[in-house]
Every structure is written in C-alpha cells, then in structure tokens.
Amino acid sequence: MVLVCASALVGVGALAVIPVVATAGQSAELGASCRIAGGASPWWATGNMVIRNSGNAYAKDWKLEFDLSEGQATIHDPWAFTLRQAGRHVTVTPIGDRAGVPAKGERKVDVGINPSGKGIPRTSGCKVDGRDDPGVPEDTTPPSDPVEKGSHVIDHRTVHVMWRASEDSGSGVDKYEVFQDGKLAKTVGNGMTMTNVENLKPATTHRFKVRAVDVAGNRSGFSREVSLTTHPAPGDDTQKPTMPKKLAGEAIGPNQVSLRWLAATDDVAVTGYRIYRNGAKAQEAGSTATSAVLGGLSPNTVYRFKVTALDGSGKESDPTDEITVTTTADGGGGGNGAPGDFAASTFAKQDGPVTQHYLNLAWAVPKGQGQITTYQVHLDGKLAQTFMWGTGDPIMPIPSARASREVLVGANPGRTYKVKLRAQLGNGSWGAFSPEKSVTTGR
C-alpha cells in the first residue's frame, strides 16, 4: 500500500494528509491544521489546532506536532489531551479514548500561548503521526489592511501613530511600514500596533498611513491616512490648560476604582490628564480621555483622587476638587469571588463508535471583582480544564451575569465525578472555589 501526503495552507500552518491503515478495507486518513487565532498579542495568543479524519475508520491514537516561533504553550483541556514542549517543539497526544478522531470527522485542540512580550507567535512544521509537511504553496495573498486607531499628537516634535493589527492567513504578518507625507518614515515588527514619529517641526501638519508586510513579502493596502499637526514650540504656548470639572468616581470591586470628569481646554491643545491618588501621581490618560480605571487597590480602603490637565509645553492645570472613593470589602457573589449558583449535569455524544460523556456546567459570574475572563475546573480535586473568554477565533464574548461551558470526561459511563470551579479575579488572584457538586455520567 502506498501512503500519500498532500498539503494545503490553512491559517498560519499547513495541512498534511496521512493515510493510516486500520483493517482490511478501512483506514483513517488524518490531517492536521495549526493556526494562531485572531486577536493574538505579544502577551497572549490562542492556537486553534484541528485534526481531521477523511478516512472510514475511527482513529483512537494520534500524535500532533508543531513548532512555535516563541512562547510557552499550555493545553486548554488537560483532561482530554497531554501537551509536552521541548524548546519550541510542541507535542500533543490524546489521553486514553477521550479524544479520538471519528471517521469523516475532526478533533479540535486549543492551546494557550504566552509569548512573554517577545512578539506574536507563529506556528510551523504542523504534522500528525510523524509525517512531515511536504511543503506549502507559495504565499501570494497580502495581509488585510491595517485600520487607523486613534493616532494623535504628543507634543511640538512628536506624534503617536496607532492602528489595528492586520491578519494574514498565509505566511503571517512580518512587519508594518509607517509612511509620513507619502514616504516611508519607519518600520516596526509584527508585534507592534503603535509607534512614535519624532523630530518633527513645531506647528506643522503631516499625513500618516500604515501598511502591513507578510513573511513572503506581500504588502497590504494602506490604512486610512490621518493628518496631524504638531503643537507650537513651548515658548509659543503661554497659557496653562483650564481645570477639568466635575470629577466623580465609584468603586468597581475591592481592587479597582472608576473615575470620570469633564474635558479641559487650552490655548493650543490639551495633551493629556494626570491622576493623583492620595496626593501622589498615579496614572496618566490621553488627550481625549474623560474617564479612567485605576487598579491595584486594597479592599475596603478609602482613597483620595484629583485630576489635572496637561499641554504640549509641559504646563499643568489647577487640580479638580479632591474626591474620596472607598473600595468594596469583598466580591459579594458567592464569598471572596467564588462563582455562585453553580450547577452541573451530564450528557453524551456519539463520537464514531465511542460514546463520549460530558459535564455541562453553569454558574453566576462573581460580582464586584472587575472583569473576569478565566476560570479553572477541578475534577476529583485536580485541575481538569481552563476556560477563557475574550480570545479565540471567533472571539468569545466575556460573560457578565451567567456563564456555561462543557467538559469532556471521556467514554466513562456510570462514573461519578466531584466538580468545582474558581475564577481569576480582576486583580490577577484566584478567587474561592464554588461549592463542590457530585455528578454521575449515564450508562
């Protein structure tokens, strides 16, 4: 029998087709695609890996391999998969019969990637069951156009150019080219979506636009061109900004405070706002900001806040009247940030010849703890799975009231599990666990 390999570009990676002999007249033809989901950043990314079976036999065992350009990988579902990483090389295998690939079906594998600020990660060398990708077609498709995103003037010599990242389904975005008045002004790496253009003349208007370049050298169209006028030289700005007005604030949990105010004015331009906490500088906001959220605070604590306006010559306005805000004592919702109203049930799905059992979990989002995007599920006292919202492709909306997810527990009929979960709170710490539930899979 001859084994045939073929490939096609899928996302940031390749598809390799490998026939695997099962029994006479039956075979499992496995292919793997590896790509980085949209919304990736130099600090966090999600890898969407898919193993497809175009054959007529169930594939119980398989090994997915790929390389990361940077970052440390973690599996989203450690109950069903085992992930090992050696340097940049990542290997994923199923645990028992929990993650086989049905005939004419597929198995999705989601991987979290922490690049530690080194750049947006890319995948390469995607393969399944040891068969190398035999090569990919030449990439001739350009990246999507960058989108202008709030570029603004900093002072009399500098502007800040910002854009929304491009996407590229082929070789991946490599860099961005920033143009000033129709000429290339500077180039920045793929992990950047903003940059300063410096050494400009005071009181001068310039036009800026950005385009993306992928690894294969394809160039996108330009972002919308924006005109920015630098501030006059400091000696030409004779007045300080007016005072911001009507400062108000409220606690949004035990560790965060939200402030809002009415905008200030200046004879040239307001370039930003400075926020003081208990008399010391705590944070700055942009020229168009009229609100801010301050974090890292202590629970049940009174804080004093005031705000000033800044201009391009460095002048600072008089401060607003000082206000006080008291952070909350705890998260309210379940005690110390625990998910409330926790419920667990079971259901089954047919996965080829195997009946797979799942847990269906639902809970109330903890209140007063800031925005919560991440939960951990523990089965029988051990970490089984991590749920994340606000990532992936498409991006999963972050729940604010109730949340629900499914957990694969495998082909284990009549088995009882003890399940509980906890949330990662707005200050980065883990909240208390929900009440533990016992649930038994069907027979």
Side-chain angles (χ1 to χ4, degrees), residues 352-365:
V354 179
T355 301
Q356 299 282 14
H357 294 270
Y358 294 78
L359 305 185
N360 187 28
L361 309 180
W363 63 93
V365 174

Side-chain angles (χ1 to χ4, degrees), residues 130-326:
R131 298 283 178 176
D132 290 326
D133 166 36
V136 298
E138 180 183 359
D139 179 12
T140 59
T141 304
S144 63
D145 297 348
V147 177
E148 206 286 321
K149 187 185 176 184
S151 300
H152 58 272
V153 177
I154 293 180
D155 56 28
H156 64 293
R157 300 294 301 274
T158 307
V159 301
H160 190 59
V161 182
M162 304 174 64
W163 60 92
R164 187 174 294 118
S166 298
E167 295 185 357
D168 188 84
S169 61
S171 55
V173 174
D174 180 51
K175 59 186 177 182
Y176 293 94
E177 296 177 334
V178 180
F179 282 71
Q180 173 191 330
D181 298 329
K183 296 181 180 180
L184 181 64
K186 65 188 305 184
T187 300
V188 298
N190 74 317
M192 301 290 292
T193 56
M194 62 184 70
T195 188
N196 286 345
V197 179
E198 302 168 319
N199 300 318
L200 305 174
K201 291 182 179 181
T204 304
T205 300
H206 298 280
R207 295 172 290 108
F208 298 92
K209 58 185 178 181
V210 180
R211 70 182 179 188
V213 184
D214 66 18
V215 173
N218 301 304
R219 284 172 164 78
S220 73
F222 285 103
S223 63
R224 176 177 62 85
E225 191 169 64
V226 59
S227 293
L228 299 173
T229 302
T230 52
H231 298 320
D236 298 332
D237 188 349
T238 59
Q239 298 179 20
K240 66 182 180 182
T242 63
M243 179 183 69
K245 297 178 180 179
K246 296 186 178 181
L247 177 64
E250 60 182 355
I252 53 175
N255 308 108
Q256 295 176 316
V257 163
S258 174
L259 301 179
R260 59 188 182 277
W261 59 88
L262 296 182
T265 60
D266 186 68
D267 59 327
V268 176
V270 172
T271 60
Y273 294 88
R274 183 170 290 159
I275 302 168
Y276 290 82
R277 183 182 68 222
N278 295 341
K281 290 186 290 186
Q283 190 170 312
E284 292 194 354
S287 60
T288 60
T290 55
S291 64
V293 174
L294 288 84
L297 308 179
S298 299
N300 198 28
T301 302
V302 178
Y303 289 94
R304 296 177 287 111
F305 297 98
K306 58 185 178 182
V307 177
T308 62
L310 307 172
D311 67 17
S313 66
K315 294 181 177 66
E316 186 172 7
S317 75
D318 294 329
T320 61
D321 293 335
E322 194 169 63
I323 65 170
T324 60
V325 180
T326 303

Side-chain angles (χ1 to χ4, degrees), residues 68-159:
L68 286 174
S69 59
E70 50 258 321
Q72 185 67 34
T74 56
I75 196 73
H76 280 194
D77 188 357
W79 190 255
F81 308 100
T82 297
L83 183 147
R84 294 183 175 85
Q85 183 169 355
R88 296 182 177 181
H89 190 70
V90 179
T91 302
V92 180
T93 54
I95 296 176
D97 57 2
R98 299 171 187 168
V101 188
K104 308 299 182 181
E106 63 181 33
R107 174 68 61 194
K108 295 181 179 180
V109 183
D110 289 336
V111 175
I113 304 165
N114 181 4
S116 300
K118 297 179 181 179
I120 295 177
R122 293 194 292 267
T123 64
S124 61
C126 187
K127 58 186 178 182
V128 63
D129 287 350
R131 298 283 178 176
D132 290 326
D133 166 36
V136 298
E138 180 183 359
D139 179 12
T140 59
T141 304
S144 63
D145 297 348
V147 177
E148 206 286 321
K149 187 185 176 184
S151 300
H152 58 272
V153 177
I154 293 180
D155 56 28
H156 64 293
R157 300 294 301 274
T158 307
V159 301

